[in-house]
Amino acid sequence: LKPVLFVETEYKINENYKTKVSGQAFYDASYIIEAKDENKGFNLDDEPYDVELKDLYLDGKLNDSFSVRLGRQIIAWGDSDYARITDVINPRDLTQPGLIDLEDARLPVAAIRLSAFLNAWTLDAVTIHEHPGSRISGKGSDFDYYTLLRNPGISIHEKDIPDSGFEDTGFALKLTRSFNGGDLSFMAANTFDDQPILRYNGLQNGNMSFTPEYDRVTTYGISSSLAKGTSLLKLEAAFRQDKKIMRNDFLNQISSGLPASSIKTSSSEDQIVALTGIEYTGFTDLRLSLETQMVHTLEHQSNLGIEETEYITYFQATKDLLNETMVLDLFWVNMNPGNGN
């Protein structure tokens, strides 16, 4: 019951420059239906309707070796269809995991990208000037990000995002070598993490008060893809430096009577993230994709809210039907430890 209208247009200024504008609007008709349990609004998504500007940029070719793109844009890095390892520039829409295609899940940000081309090599330098963080579901929705903390006595405020503009600029570099049947990329970035952590504000009106906020993380990564016949092999790996991870003992810290300034809700840790995957298109009108991701936290402590090593497996089967007028899509995720699906 949620129709979405998406509109985009491009205008070619001259041989070297063009502009693009796109946006979408939706209305969720479920908001006009009375819930049977009379908890209307508590099991629905955050907004009944929205109008959103997507792309708004100027794309220019400076000469045969350099190009530039200015404005709100999506810059897709990495080879994974699902995991966010070296794809660190655009946050994602996580309100309905698995139900939103990756190309639609990326959220545009204001950025400047300068690209340099030399034979089979491409160098991309990006400055990021907008940091909205990933879009997460709110209280009572099917995929409430803070569902385990929704208890009496706990108050979670609206997220605190970094300033847009040049004061909190993020930076990213990628060097890509293309060859027959594949590519190899090296990247480095210092950006704001797309996953929020909670800052403890102290007691307010008798409730423990928290604010989601975003911190910087440095990423060094490598990605590669190689086509073999009807198969595409994928590899991604990255080292994350000083990534903020939520602790599992902050409620105990608060109950012990420590002052708010001494409460540590998160810790900065280093992580190694790796992914392997294969995509097969040898069957008529059928695409199969399988990827496995590992996240290993170095110098892991028992007070962290994640396991030392975690695995996620993604599987997708996409079938074109009725002369490519309808698509049947099966998407499955397994998270271990926890065996969540």
Side-chain angles (χ1 to χ4, degrees), residues 9-66:
T9 182
E10 291 186 4
Y11 176 72
K12 189 174 183 179
I13 301 174
N14 54 40
E15 289 299 319
N16 295 325
Y17 291 91
K18 69 176 182 179
T19 61
K20 180 179 179 180
V21 181
S22 69
Q24 69 179 28
F26 74 82
Y27 174 72
D28 193 342
S30 62
Y31 276 80
I32 63 174
I33 299 175
E34 191 70 34
K36 291 181 179 179
D37 58 4
E38 297 184 357
N39 285 331
K40 183 178 180 181
F42 275 83
N43 59 345
L44 302 173
D45 288 334
D46 299 12
E47 297 148 351
Y49 58 86
D50 191 27
V51 178
E52 179 185 14
L53 175 67
K54 304 286 279 187
D55 298 302
L56 176 60
Y57 61 76
L58 172 68
D59 200 359
K61 181 181 178 182
L62 303 180
N63 53 43
D64 292 337
S65 300
F66 295 93

Short mmCIF file of all heavy atoms in Angstrom, two decimals, residues 9-66:
data_model
loop_
_atom_site.label_atom_id
_atom_site.label_comp_id
_atom_site.label_asym_id
_atom_site.label_seq_id
_atom_site.Cartn_x
_atom_site.Cartn_y
_atom_site.Cartn_z
N THR A 9 15.70 13.59 -14.65
CA THR A 9 15.91 14.24 -15.93
C THR A 9 17.38 14.65 -16.05
O THR A 9 18.04 14.94 -15.04
CB THR A 9 15.01 15.48 -16.09
OG1 THR A 9 15.22 16.06 -17.37
CG2 THR A 9 15.31 16.52 -15.02
N GLU A 10 17.89 14.64 -17.27
CA GLU A 10 19.25 15.08 -17.55
C GLU A 10 19.21 16.16 -18.63
O GLU A 10 18.35 16.14 -19.51
CB GLU A 10 20.13 13.91 -18.02
CG GLU A 10 20.42 12.87 -16.96
CD GLU A 10 21.42 11.82 -17.43
OE1 GLU A 10 21.92 11.97 -18.57
OE2 GLU A 10 21.69 10.88 -16.69
N TYR A 11 20.16 17.07 -18.53
CA TYR A 11 20.26 18.15 -19.52
C TYR A 11 21.71 18.29 -19.95
O TYR A 11 22.60 18.47 -19.10
CB TYR A 11 19.74 19.47 -18.95
CG TYR A 11 19.91 20.64 -19.91
CD1 TYR A 11 19.11 20.73 -21.05
CD2 TYR A 11 20.86 21.62 -19.69
CE1 TYR A 11 19.25 21.79 -21.93
CE2 TYR A 11 21.01 22.69 -20.57
CZ TYR A 11 20.21 22.77 -21.69
OH TYR A 11 20.36 23.80 -22.57
N LYS A 12 21.94 18.18 -21.24
CA LYS A 12 23.29 18.30 -21.78
C LYS A 12 23.57 19.76 -22.12
O LYS A 12 22.96 20.32 -23.05
CB LYS A 12 23.44 17.41 -23.02
CG LYS A 12 24.86 17.30 -23.52
CD LYS A 12 24.95 16.28 -24.65
CE LYS A 12 26.39 16.11 -25.12
NZ LYS A 12 26.50 15.11 -26.22
N ILE A 13 24.47 20.37 -21.36
CA ILE A 13 24.78 21.78 -21.57
C ILE A 13 25.58 21.96 -22.85
O ILE A 13 25.28 22.82 -23.68
CB ILE A 13 25.55 22.33 -20.35
CG1 ILE A 13 24.70 22.18 -19.08
CG2 ILE A 13 25.94 23.78 -20.57
CD1 ILE A 13 25.44 22.55 -17.81
N ASN A 14 26.63 21.17 -23.00
CA ASN A 14 27.44 21.15 -24.22
C ASN A 14 28.11 19.79 -24.31
O ASN A 14 27.71 18.85 -23.63
CB ASN A 14 28.46 22.31 -24.25
CG ASN A 14 29.33 22.34 -23.00
OD1 ASN A 14 29.75 21.29 -22.50
ND2 ASN A 14 29.60 23.54 -22.49
N GLU A 15 29.13 19.68 -25.15
CA GLU A 15 29.79 18.39 -25.35
C GLU A 15 30.47 17.87 -24.09
O GLU A 15 30.68 16.66 -23.94
CB GLU A 15 30.81 18.50 -26.49
CG GLU A 15 30.20 18.64 -27.87
CD GLU A 15 29.35 17.43 -28.24
OE1 GLU A 15 29.77 16.30 -27.92
OE2 GLU A 15 28.27 17.61 -28.82
N ASN A 16 30.83 18.76 -23.18
CA ASN A 16 31.62 18.36 -22.02
C ASN A 16 30.87 18.41 -20.69
O ASN A 16 31.35 17.86 -19.70
CB ASN A 16 32.87 19.23 -21.91
CG ASN A 16 33.82 19.02 -23.08
OD1 ASN A 16 33.96 17.91 -23.58
ND2 ASN A 16 34.47 20.10 -23.52
N TYR A 17 29.72 19.06 -20.64
CA TYR A 17 29.03 19.25 -19.36
C TYR A 17 27.56 18.86 -19.46
O TYR A 17 26.90 19.11 -20.48
CB TYR A 17 29.14 20.71 -18.90
CG TYR A 17 30.53 21.11 -18.50
CD1 TYR A 17 31.41 21.66 -19.44
CD2 TYR A 17 30.98 20.93 -17.18
CE1 TYR A 17 32.70 22.01 -19.08
CE2 TYR A 17 32.27 21.29 -16.82
CZ TYR A 17 33.12 21.83 -17.77
OH TYR A 17 34.40 22.17 -17.41
N LYS A 18 27.07 18.25 -18.38
CA LYS A 18 25.65 17.92 -18.29
C LYS A 18 25.22 18.02 -16.83
O LYS A 18 26.05 17.98 -15.91
CB LYS A 18 25.37 16.52 -18.83
CG LYS A 18 25.93 15.40 -17.97
CD LYS A 18 25.52 14.03 -18.50
CE LYS A 18 26.05 12.92 -17.60
NZ LYS A 18 25.64 11.58 -18.08
N THR A 19 23.93 18.14 -16.62
CA THR A 19 23.36 18.16 -15.27
C THR A 19 22.34 17.04 -15.14
O THR A 19 21.76 16.58 -16.13
CB THR A 19 22.68 19.51 -14.96
OG1 THR A 19 21.60 19.71 -15.89
CG2 THR A 19 23.66 20.66 -15.07
N LYS A 20 22.12 16.62 -13.91
CA LYS A 20 21.12 15.60 -13.64
C LYS A 20 20.37 15.96 -12.37
O LYS A 20 20.98 16.38 -11.38
CB LYS A 20 21.76 14.21 -13.47
CG LYS A 20 20.75 13.10 -13.18
CD LYS A 20 21.42 11.75 -13.05
CE LYS A 20 20.41 10.66 -12.73
NZ LYS A 20 21.04 9.33 -12.58
N VAL A 21 19.05 15.78 -12.39
CA VAL A 21 18.20 16.01 -11.23
C VAL A 21 17.24 14.83 -11.11
O VAL A 21 16.66 14.39 -12.11
CB VAL A 21 17.39 17.32 -11.36
CG1 VAL A 21 16.52 17.53 -10.12
CG2 VAL A 21 18.30 18.51 -11.58
N SER A 22 17.10 14.29 -9.91
CA SER A 22 16.14 13.21 -9.70
C SER A 22 15.56 13.33 -8.30
O SER A 22 16.16 13.93 -7.40
CB SER A 22 16.80 11.84 -9.89
OG SER A 22 17.72 11.57 -8.86
N GLY A 23 14.39 12.75 -8.12
CA GLY A 23 13.74 12.78 -6.82
C GLY A 23 12.61 11.78 -6.77
O GLY A 23 12.24 11.18 -7.79
N GLN A 24 12.09 11.55 -5.58
CA GLN A 24 10.99 10.62 -5.45
C GLN A 24 10.03 11.08 -4.36
O GLN A 24 10.40 11.86 -3.47
CB GLN A 24 11.50 9.21 -5.14
CG GLN A 24 12.11 9.03 -3.77
CD GLN A 24 12.55 7.59 -3.53
OE1 GLN A 24 12.88 6.87 -4.47
NE2 GLN A 24 12.57 7.18 -2.27
N ALA A 25 8.83 10.56 -4.44
CA ALA A 25 7.80 10.86 -3.44
C ALA A 25 7.01 9.59 -3.18
O ALA A 25 6.85 8.76 -4.07
CB ALA A 25 6.87 11.97 -3.94
N PHE A 26 6.55 9.42 -1.93
CA PHE A 26 5.73 8.26 -1.62
C PHE A 26 4.65 8.64 -0.62
O PHE A 26 4.74 9.63 0.08
CB PHE A 26 6.58 7.10 -1.06
CG PHE A 26 7.06 7.32 0.36
CD1 PHE A 26 6.25 7.05 1.45
CD2 PHE A 26 8.35 7.78 0.60
CE1 PHE A 26 6.69 7.24 2.75
CE2 PHE A 26 8.80 7.97 1.90
CZ PHE A 26 7.97 7.70 2.97
N TYR A 27 3.62 7.82 -0.60
CA TYR A 27 2.56 7.94 0.39
C TYR A 27 2.22 6.54 0.88
O TYR A 27 1.93 5.65 0.07
CB TYR A 27 1.32 8.62 -0.18
CG TYR A 27 0.16 8.62 0.81
CD1 TYR A 27 0.21 9.44 1.93
CD2 TYR A 27 -0.93 7.78 0.63
CE1 TYR A 27 -0.83 9.43 2.86
CE2 TYR A 27 -1.97 7.78 1.55
CZ TYR A 27 -1.91 8.61 2.66
OH TYR A 27 -2.93 8.58 3.58
N ASP A 28 2.24 6.33 2.20
CA ASP A 28 1.95 5.02 2.78
C ASP A 28 0.48 5.00 3.20
O ASP A 28 0.11 5.56 4.23
CB ASP A 28 2.86 4.76 3.98
CG ASP A 28 2.82 3.31 4.43
OD1 ASP A 28 1.85 2.62 4.06
OD2 ASP A 28 3.74 2.89 5.15
N ALA A 29 -0.34 4.32 2.40
CA ALA A 29 -1.79 4.32 2.65
C ALA A 29 -2.16 3.52 3.89
O ALA A 29 -3.29 3.60 4.36
CB ALA A 29 -2.51 3.74 1.43
N SER A 30 -1.22 2.75 4.45
CA SER A 30 -1.55 1.98 5.65
C SER A 30 -1.85 2.88 6.85
O SER A 30 -2.44 2.44 7.82
CB SER A 30 -0.40 1.02 5.99
OG SER A 30 0.78 1.73 6.28
N TYR A 31 -1.45 4.15 6.75
CA TYR A 31 -1.71 5.07 7.86
C TYR A 31 -3.19 5.44 8.00
O TYR A 31 -3.60 5.97 9.02
CB TYR A 31 -0.87 6.35 7.71
CG TYR A 31 0.53 6.19 8.25
CD1 TYR A 31 1.51 5.55 7.51
CD2 TYR A 31 0.87 6.67 9.50
CE1 TYR A 31 2.80 5.40 8.00
CE2 TYR A 31 2.15 6.52 10.00
CZ TYR A 31 3.11 5.89 9.25
OH TYR A 31 4.38 5.73 9.74
N ILE A 32 -3.99 5.16 6.97
CA ILE A 32 -5.41 5.50 7.07
C ILE A 32 -6.23 4.28 7.48
O ILE A 32 -7.45 4.35 7.57
CB ILE A 32 -5.95 6.06 5.74
CG1 ILE A 32 -5.87 5.01 4.63
CG2 ILE A 32 -5.19 7.31 5.35
CD1 ILE A 32 -6.51 5.45 3.33
N ILE A 33 -5.56 3.14 7.71
CA ILE A 33 -6.24 1.92 8.11
C ILE A 33 -6.11 1.75 9.61
O ILE A 33 -5.01 1.79 10.16
CB ILE A 33 -5.64 0.70 7.38
CG1 ILE A 33 -5.81 0.87 5.87
CG2 ILE A 33 -6.31 -0.59 7.85
CD1 ILE A 33 -5.14 -0.23 5.07
N GLU A 34 -7.22 1.54 10.28
CA GLU A 34 -7.20 1.35 11.73
C GLU A 34 -6.66 -0.03 12.05
O GLU A 34 -7.16 -1.04 11.57
CB GLU A 34 -8.61 1.50 12.28
CG GLU A 34 -8.66 1.57 13.80
CD GLU A 34 -8.08 2.87 14.33
OE1 GLU A 34 -8.23 3.90 13.66
OE2 GLU A 34 -7.47 2.86 15.40
N ALA A 35 -5.60 -0.08 12.87
CA ALA A 35 -5.01 -1.37 13.25
C ALA A 35 -5.99 -2.13 14.14
O ALA A 35 -6.69 -1.55 14.96
CB ALA A 35 -3.69 -1.15 13.98
N LYS A 36 -6.00 -3.44 14.00
CA LYS A 36 -6.93 -4.26 14.77
C LYS A 36 -6.65 -4.17 16.27
O LYS A 36 -7.56 -4.30 17.09
CB LYS A 36 -6.86 -5.71 14.30
CG LYS A 36 -7.41 -5.92 12.90
CD LYS A 36 -7.34 -7.39 12.49
CE LYS A 36 -7.91 -7.58 11.09
NZ LYS A 36 -7.84 -9.00 10.68
N ASP A 37 -5.38 -3.99 16.64
CA ASP A 37 -5.07 -3.92 18.06
C ASP A 37 -5.18 -2.49 18.59
O ASP A 37 -4.83 -2.23 19.74
CB ASP A 37 -3.67 -4.48 18.34
CG ASP A 37 -2.59 -3.75 17.56
OD1 ASP A 37 -2.94 -2.76 16.89
OD2 ASP A 37 -1.42 -4.15 17.64
N GLU A 38 -5.63 -1.57 17.74
CA GLU A 38 -5.86 -0.17 18.10
C GLU A 38 -4.58 0.55 18.52
O GLU A 38 -4.63 1.62 19.11
CB GLU A 38 -6.91 -0.06 19.22
CG GLU A 38 -8.28 -0.57 18.80
CD GLU A 38 -9.33 -0.37 19.87
OE1 GLU A 38 -8.97 0.12 20.96
OE2 GLU A 38 -10.50 -0.70 19.62
N ASN A 39 -3.42 -0.02 18.20
CA ASN A 39 -2.15 0.66 18.42
C ASN A 39 -1.72 1.35 17.13
O ASN A 39 -0.61 1.19 16.66
CB ASN A 39 -1.07 -0.33 18.88
CG ASN A 39 -1.25 -0.73 20.33
OD1 ASN A 39 -1.77 0.04 21.12
ND2 ASN A 39 -0.84 -1.93 20.67
N LYS A 40 -2.61 2.07 16.56
CA LYS A 40 -2.35 2.72 15.27
C LYS A 40 -1.11 3.63 15.38
O LYS A 40 -1.04 4.49 16.24
CB LYS A 40 -3.56 3.54 14.84
CG LYS A 40 -3.40 4.19 13.47
CD LYS A 40 -4.66 4.94 13.10
CE LYS A 40 -4.51 5.59 11.74
NZ LYS A 40 -5.71 6.35 11.35
N GLY A 41 -0.16 3.40 14.47
CA GLY A 41 1.04 4.23 14.45
C GLY A 41 2.23 3.57 15.10
O GLY A 41 3.36 3.97 14.85
N PHE A 42 2.03 2.56 15.93
CA PHE A 42 3.16 1.95 16.62
C PHE A 42 3.79 0.81 15.84
O PHE A 42 4.85 0.35 16.19
CB PHE A 42 2.72 1.45 18.00
CG PHE A 42 2.78 2.52 19.05
CD1 PHE A 42 1.75 3.42 19.19
CD2 PHE A 42 3.89 2.65 19.87
CE1 PHE A 42 1.81 4.43 20.13
CE2 PHE A 42 3.95 3.66 20.81
CZ PHE A 42 2.91 4.54 20.95
N ASN A 43 3.13 0.31 14.81
CA ASN A 43 3.71 -0.75 14.01
C ASN A 43 3.89 -0.31 12.57
O ASN A 43 3.88 -1.11 11.65
CB ASN A 43 2.85 -2.02 14.06
CG ASN A 43 1.44 -1.75 13.55
OD1 ASN A 43 1.03 -0.60 13.41
ND2 ASN A 43 0.69 -2.81 13.26
N LEU A 44 4.06 0.99 12.38
CA LEU A 44 4.22 1.55 11.05
C LEU A 44 5.59 2.21 10.92
O LEU A 44 6.29 2.43 11.92
CB LEU A 44 3.12 2.58 10.76
CG LEU A 44 1.69 2.04 10.87
CD1 LEU A 44 0.70 3.18 10.75
CD2 LEU A 44 1.43 1.00 9.80
N ASP A 45 5.98 2.50 9.71
CA ASP A 45 7.26 3.15 9.49
C ASP A 45 7.22 4.60 9.97
O ASP A 45 6.19 5.12 10.40
CB ASP A 45 7.65 3.09 8.02
CG ASP A 45 8.04 1.68 7.61
OD1 ASP A 45 8.48 0.91 8.48
OD2 ASP A 45 7.89 1.36 6.42
N ASP A 46 8.37 5.27 9.87
CA ASP A 46 8.52 6.58 10.49
C ASP A 46 7.60 7.65 9.89
O ASP A 46 7.10 8.51 10.59
CB ASP A 46 9.96 7.05 10.37
CG ASP A 46 10.93 6.10 11.08
OD1 ASP A 46 10.51 5.00 11.45
OD2 ASP A 46 12.08 6.48 11.24
N GLU A 47 7.43 7.62 8.58
CA GLU A 47 6.74 8.72 7.91
C GLU A 47 5.61 8.21 7.03
O GLU A 47 5.79 7.25 6.28
CB GLU A 47 7.73 9.52 7.05
CG GLU A 47 8.83 10.17 7.88
CD GLU A 47 10.14 10.25 7.12
OE1 GLU A 47 10.23 9.66 6.04
OE2 GLU A 47 11.06 10.91 7.62
N PRO A 48 4.43 8.84 7.09
CA PRO A 48 3.34 8.42 6.20
C PRO A 48 3.55 8.87 4.76
O PRO A 48 3.02 8.26 3.84
CB PRO A 48 2.11 9.09 6.82
CG PRO A 48 2.66 10.27 7.55
CD PRO A 48 4.01 9.87 8.05
N TYR A 49 4.33 9.94 4.54
CA TYR A 49 4.61 10.42 3.19
C TYR A 49 5.91 11.22 3.22
O TYR A 49 6.36 11.68 4.27
CB TYR A 49 3.47 11.29 2.66
CG TYR A 49 3.16 12.49 3.51
CD1 TYR A 49 3.85 13.69 3.34
CD2 TYR A 49 2.19 12.43 4.50
CE1 TYR A 49 3.58 14.80 4.14
CE2 TYR A 49 1.92 13.52 5.31
CZ TYR A 49 2.62 14.71 5.12
OH TYR A 49 2.36 15.78 5.92
N ASP A 50 6.51 11.37 2.05
CA ASP A 50 7.77 12.10 1.99
C ASP A 50 8.05 12.47 0.54
O ASP A 50 7.66 11.76 -0.38
CB ASP A 50 8.93 11.25 2.54
CG ASP A 50 10.20 12.08 2.74
OD1 ASP A 50 10.07 13.29 2.95
OD2 ASP A 50 11.30 11.50 2.68
N VAL A 51 8.72 13.59 0.36
CA VAL A 51 9.24 14.03 -0.94
C VAL A 51 10.74 14.24 -0.75
O VAL A 51 11.15 14.98 0.15
CB VAL A 51 8.57 15.33 -1.43
CG1 VAL A 51 9.19 15.77 -2.75
CG2 VAL A 51 7.07 15.13 -1.57
N GLU A 52 11.54 13.57 -1.57
CA GLU A 52 12.98 13.56 -1.34
C GLU A 52 13.74 13.89 -2.62
O GLU A 52 13.46 13.33 -3.68
CB GLU A 52 13.41 12.18 -0.83
CG GLU A 52 14.90 12.05 -0.59
CD GLU A 52 15.30 10.65 -0.19
OE1 GLU A 52 14.48 9.72 -0.34
OE2 GLU A 52 16.43 10.47 0.28
N LEU A 53 14.69 14.81 -2.51
CA LEU A 53 15.61 15.11 -3.61
C LEU A 53 16.71 14.06 -3.61
O LEU A 53 17.35 13.82 -2.58
CB LEU A 53 16.20 16.51 -3.44
CG LEU A 53 17.26 16.91 -4.46
CD1 LEU A 53 16.64 17.06 -5.85
CD2 LEU A 53 17.94 18.21 -4.03
N LYS A 54 16.95 13.42 -4.74
CA LYS A 54 18.00 12.40 -4.86
C LYS A 54 19.25 13.04 -5.47
O LYS A 54 20.06 13.62 -4.78
CB LYS A 54 17.51 11.22 -5.68
CG LYS A 54 16.22 10.59 -5.15
CD LYS A 54 16.45 9.77 -3.90
CE LYS A 54 16.98 8.41 -4.21
NZ LYS A 54 17.04 7.54 -3.00
N ASP A 55 19.41 12.92 -6.78
CA ASP A 55 20.58 13.48 -7.46
C ASP A 55 20.36 14.94 -7.82
O ASP A 55 19.27 15.34 -8.23
CB ASP A 55 20.88 12.69 -8.74
CG ASP A 55 21.22 11.24 -8.47
OD1 ASP A 55 22.18 11.00 -7.72
OD2 ASP A 55 20.53 10.37 -9.01
N LEU A 56 21.41 15.71 -7.70
CA LEU A 56 21.42 17.09 -8.18
C LEU A 56 22.89 17.48 -8.38
O LEU A 56 23.56 17.92 -7.45
CB LEU A 56 20.74 18.04 -7.19
CG LEU A 56 20.77 19.53 -7.56
CD1 LEU A 56 20.09 19.78 -8.89
CD2 LEU A 56 20.14 20.38 -6.46
N TYR A 57 23.40 17.25 -9.60
CA TYR A 57 24.83 17.49 -9.79
C TYR A 57 25.15 18.01 -11.19
O TYR A 57 24.35 17.89 -12.12
CB TYR A 57 25.63 16.22 -9.50
CG TYR A 57 25.33 15.03 -10.37
CD1 TYR A 57 25.79 14.95 -11.69
CD2 TYR A 57 24.60 13.95 -9.88
CE1 TYR A 57 25.53 13.85 -12.48
CE2 TYR A 57 24.34 12.84 -10.66
CZ TYR A 57 24.81 12.79 -11.97
OH TYR A 57 24.54 11.70 -12.75
N LEU A 58 26.36 18.56 -11.29
CA LEU A 58 26.95 18.99 -12.55
C LEU A 58 28.10 18.06 -12.86
O LEU A 58 29.00 17.87 -12.03
CB LEU A 58 27.44 20.43 -12.44
CG LEU A 58 28.26 20.96 -13.63
CD1 LEU A 58 27.38 21.08 -14.87
CD2 LEU A 58 28.90 22.31 -13.29
N ASP A 59 28.07 17.46 -14.04
CA ASP A 59 29.09 16.49 -14.45
C ASP A 59 29.86 17.10 -15.61
O ASP A 59 29.26 17.48 -16.62
CB ASP A 59 28.41 15.18 -14.88
CG ASP A 59 29.36 14.01 -14.84
OD1 ASP A 59 30.53 14.22 -14.51
OD2 ASP A 59 28.93 12.88 -15.15
N GLY A 60 31.20 17.18 -15.47
CA GLY A 60 31.98 17.84 -16.49
C GLY A 60 33.25 17.10 -16.85
O GLY A 60 33.89 16.48 -16.00
N LYS A 61 33.61 17.14 -18.12
CA LYS A 61 34.87 16.60 -18.62
C LYS A 61 35.82 17.76 -18.84
O LYS A 61 35.63 18.57 -19.73
CB LYS A 61 34.63 15.83 -19.92
CG LYS A 61 35.88 15.21 -20.51
CD LYS A 61 35.55 14.49 -21.81
CE LYS A 61 36.81 13.90 -22.44
NZ LYS A 61 36.51 13.23 -23.74
N LEU A 62 36.87 17.83 -17.99
CA LEU A 62 37.80 18.95 -18.07
C LEU A 62 38.71 18.83 -19.29
O LEU A 62 38.98 19.81 -19.98
CB LEU A 62 38.63 19.02 -16.78
CG LEU A 62 37.81 19.16 -15.48
CD1 LEU A 62 38.73 19.21 -14.28
CD2 LEU A 62 36.91 20.38 -15.54
N ASN A 63 39.21 17.62 -19.53
CA ASN A 63 39.99 17.29 -20.73
C ASN A 63 40.00 15.78 -20.87
O ASN A 63 39.22 15.09 -20.21
CB ASN A 63 41.40 17.89 -20.66
CG ASN A 63 42.13 17.51 -19.38
OD1 ASN A 63 42.08 16.36 -18.95
ND2 ASN A 63 42.82 18.47 -18.77
N ASP A 64 40.88 15.25 -21.70
CA ASP A 64 40.92 13.81 -21.92
C ASP A 64 41.36 13.03 -20.70
O ASP A 64 41.17 11.81 -20.63
CB ASP A 64 41.83 13.48 -23.10
CG ASP A 64 41.26 13.95 -24.43
OD1 ASP A 64 40.02 14.13 -24.49
OD2 ASP A 64 42.03 14.14 -25.38
N SER A 65 41.97 13.70 -19.72
CA SER A 65 42.53 13.00 -18.56
C SER A 65 41.79 13.27 -17.25
O SER A 65 42.00 12.55 -16.27
CB SER A 65 44.01 13.39 -18.38
OG SER A 65 44.76 13.03 -19.51
N PHE A 66 40.93 14.30 -17.21
CA PHE A 66 40.30 14.67 -15.94
C PHE A 66 38.80 14.94 -16.14
O PHE A 66 38.39 15.49 -17.17
CB PHE A 66 40.95 15.93 -15.34
CG PHE A 66 42.38 15.74 -14.93
CD1 PHE A 66 43.41 16.06 -15.80
CD2 PHE A 66 42.69 15.23 -13.68
CE1 PHE A 66 44.72 15.88 -15.42
CE2 PHE A 66 44.00 15.06 -13.29
CZ PHE A 66 45.03 15.38 -14.16
#
